[in-house]
Amino acid sequence: MELRNLITFIHVAEQGSFTRAAEQLGYSQSTVSFQIKQLEDELGCLLFERINHTITLTERGRELVSYAHRIRALTDDFKENLTKEEACNGHIHIVTPDSVCEELIYAHYIAFHQKYPKISIQFTTADTSVMFDMLDHNEADAIITLDSHSYRKDYIIAKEDPLSMHFVTNAKSKWAGKRGIKVADIAGEPFILTEYGQGYRRVFDKELAKKSLEITPVLEIGRTDMITHLLAESDMISFLPDFVTKRLIEEGVLCYLDVCDVKVDIWKQLIYHKNKWMSKSLRAFIDYLKQHEFSN
């Protein structure tokens, strides 16, 4: 059994398409079809059902996916251990929300790079649903979510922490220092929020809907650094994770509002696919985040 045929099979299974798998591998579609046919002939079973240009895994095909990932992982692990170079090296792709990407780069990237100078990282920002889709198609090595708690049998949660969230505004706001504020009291104020339908904003809107309330922001933007900058210069209000606002709160520029009737459960989760091969570089990155980013 040729390893390249198994790898092609994995890509077709992940992409659900011979054409997309061929594009990802840099092969022609006929080459992909030939390799899958070789594998089916060798195993003596049909791996994909082909109906009206649509392919789906057969029962035997679904069984092979897990074995194929394990074989590839063992092969890659063996190749990596052959190297005499002790320093971790390689490329990893991490997908996060905008605010987490900002925090990772500002707070941790330089220190990580100094410790592992031969590891290159690609950061991409996306919404939670897109992140999981990228994991399913092996387009991301790991993701960090800021959302309601997620658990799915196909994923490994490397680390997770509950996240503190607050309504926040300028320290000179008329709402600063007031106790027992209800969300209905401030719903008509000018709000800046992260983008509709994404991450913790989606969870926040669901909680408001339970109270038959809706907040229409005057500005929606994913960049939390811009949101905090605008809050510091205006009387607007936002709803943000504490790690985003901590510095400005400590400096007395912003303040938390004592809103007593809204509780939003948000989790920060570091997740990778159970079939993902854990290279030395990916393991180093995950261990670093568990020690530093998830240490509070």
Side-chain angles (χ1 to χ4, degrees):
M1 183 181 300
E2 291 196 35
L3 180 62
R4 65 177 181 178
N5 289 354
L6 275 178
I7 292 174
T8 297
F9 166 75
I10 290 171
H11 280 81
V12 174
E14 289 175 343
Q15 297 297 323
S17 165
F18 282 64
T19 301
R20 288 196 295 272
E23 292 172 352
Q24 196 172 65
L25 290 164
Y27 295 161
S28 66
Q29 184 174 336
S30 60
T31 297
V32 170
S33 297
F34 177 74
Q35 289 179 347
I36 297 300
K37 184 65 167 59
Q38 273 191 323
L39 193 56
E40 290 178 328
D41 290 344
E42 188 172 3
L43 295 174
C45 64
L46 194 67
L47 299 174
F48 295 98
E49 290 183 324
R50 304 158 175 84
I51 301 174
N52 294 330
H53 304 292
T54 300
I55 65 166
T56 55
L57 284 164
T58 62
E59 183 178 349
R60 291 300 185 190
R62 286 191 293 272
E63 291 176 4
L64 181 60
V65 168
S66 179
Y67 287 105
H69 276 292
R70 284 152 58 187
I71 291 170
R72 183 172 68 171
L74 287 170
T75 303
D76 289 341
D77 194 37
F78 177 72
K79 287 179 179 178
E80 187 172 80
N81 287 329
L82 284 177
T83 179
K84 302 299 182 182
E85 188 176 12
E86 294 184 0
C88 286
N89 68 89
H91 178 79
I92 53 178
H93 183 197
I94 310 299
V95 187
T96 75
D98 285 296
S99 55
V100 172
C101 184
E102 293 162 13
E103 176 70 11
L104 286 178
I105 291 174
Y106 290 142
H108 300 300
Y109 176 72
I110 295 300
F112 180 83
H113 174 69
Q114 290 172 342
K115 186 173 183 178
Y116 300 105
K118 296 189 177 182
I119 296 178
S120 65
I121 306 174
Q122 174 187 353
F123 282 109
T124 301
T125 60
D127 182 43
T128 306
S129 59
V130 176
M131 292 186 202
F132 282 114
D133 187 62
M134 293 177 77
L135 282 186
D136 289 339
H137 292 88
N138 199 29
E139 295 171 356
D141 295 310
I143 64 174
I144 301 176
T145 64
L146 296 183
D147 211 317
S148 53
H149 191 273
S150 294
Y151 173 75
R152 308 183 195 183
K153 63 183 179 64
D154 290 333
Y155 308 120
I156 303 296
I157 300 173
K159 187 69 175 176
E160 61 182 11
D161 284 331
L163 203 64
S164 296
M165 305 279 298
H166 279 92
F167 290 88
V168 61
T169 190
N170 192 298
K172 297 178 181 179
S173 167
K174 64 182 180 182
W175 297 101
K178 289 192 176 183
R179 310 298 295 174
I181 301 170
K182 293 185 177 181
V183 69
D185 297 333
I186 59 173
E189 296 292 322
F191 266 80
I192 311 175
L193 296 175
T194 50
E195 293 158 294
Y196 177 78
Q198 297 195 11
Y200 55 80
R201 166 73 190 279
R202 178 177 59 248
V203 183
F204 174 61
D205 285 341
K206 285 183 179 179
E207 289 300 310
L208 292 181
K210 292 177 184 178
K211 299 179 178 296
S212 300
L213 289 172
E214 181 180 359
I215 289 177
T216 302
V218 296
L219 177 64
E220 293 177 285
I221 187 169
R223 291 278 301 274
T224 54
D225 59 333
M226 292 185 178
I227 292 177
T228 55
H229 174 78
L230 291 172
L231 292 177
E233 300 293 328
S234 71
D235 60 352
M236 297 179 184
I237 300 173
S238 191
F239 185 73
L240 295 169
D242 287 1
F243 74 84
V244 171
T245 57
K246 181 180 179 181
R247 180 180 62 82
L248 292 174
I249 293 292
E250 291 174 347
E251 293 175 357
V253 176
L254 302 181
C255 68
Y256 295 140
L257 298 185
D258 182 38
V259 177
C260 60
D261 62 341
V262 171
K263 178 174 173 53
V264 179
D265 292 321
I266 302 295
W267 287 75
K268 178 166 63 174
Q269 294 181 289
L270 173 60
I271 301 172
Y272 61 91
H273 200 282
K274 69 176 184 180
N275 292 325
K276 184 66 185 178
W277 171 56
M278 295 300 292
S279 65
K280 289 181 180 178
S281 55
L282 181 56
R283 173 53 63 192
F285 184 80
I286 287 176
D287 288 346
Y288 188 91
L289 287 189
K290 289 167 67 175
Q291 182 181 354
H292 296 88
E293 176 70 7
F294 287 77
S295 59
N296 296 330

